[in-house]
Amino acid sequence: MCLDFLYSFCQALLGICPPERLILVEIKAGLPYTTVDRDPLVKAEIETAKLFNERMSFAYEVVKDNMPGIHVVEFPQNVKIDPDHKWGRNLLHYTMEYYDYALDAVNAITDNSCCRYNDAEKKLLAELKTGCENIISGSMKE
């Protein structure tokens, strides 16, 4: 049943917009910003994140597989939540490194919005993702 809704969703989007004008942004729950012993909410966030990530990964793969030609922005490794996010603490409220990356990725796609998702774009997006991951890993060492 869930699969039927996802298939219908894909077809509805493709019915109103060509694939080269669609961007699929992968999302995942952010990692805890600290350890369980420092913040008791982290344990519940870890459990919720497992379920959330399982469901979102499933939906992401179905949409990606059923909408050939759409642009895809992958989620970087080790993105943490920001407990002081302006909209509150949430598994989908990340540190600024993620938002900088996502904006750069969308800008890279929309700068060439008439183009299909091709090898050059995939390479550029992969470089942006790696750059974000490097920034995150550098900030983790500090």
Side-chain angles (χ1 to χ4, degrees), residues 67-84:
M67 297 182 74
I70 64 169
H71 304 272
V72 178
V73 177
E74 295 178 349
F75 195 81
Q77 298 291 316
N78 299 316
V79 174
K80 290 188 175 189
I81 68 166
D82 179 359
D84 300 317

Side-chain angles (χ1 to χ4, degrees), residues 3-5 8 13 19 28 39 43 47 61 71-72 82 94 99 105 113 115 123 125 127-129 135 140-142:
L3 215 50
D4 292 337
F5 288 124
S8 296
L13 282 177
K28 295 182 181 180
D39 186 335
K43 183 177 179 182
E47 291 303 313
E61 291 300 325
H71 304 272
V72 178
D82 179 359
Y94 313 113
Y99 297 109
S113 61
C115 301
K123 183 178 184 228
L125 293 175
E127 289 170 359
L128 289 172
K129 181 180 170 215
I135 291 169
M140 291 169 70
K141 293 175 185 175
E142 294 173 358

Side-chain angles (χ1 to χ4, degrees), residues 43-84:
K43 183 177 179 182
E45 288 171 341
I46 291 169
E47 291 303 313
T48 303
K50 287 178 190 174
L51 179 60
F52 177 85
N53 285 338
E54 184 179 295
R55 290 177 179 175
M56 289 309 300
S57 292
F58 173 78
Y60 169 78
E61 291 300 325
V62 170
V63 171
K64 186 171 77 168
D65 291 346
N66 285 278
M67 297 182 74
I70 64 169
H71 304 272
V72 178
V73 177
E74 295 178 349
F75 195 81
Q77 298 291 316
N78 299 316
V79 174
K80 290 188 175 189
I81 68 166
D82 179 359
D84 300 317

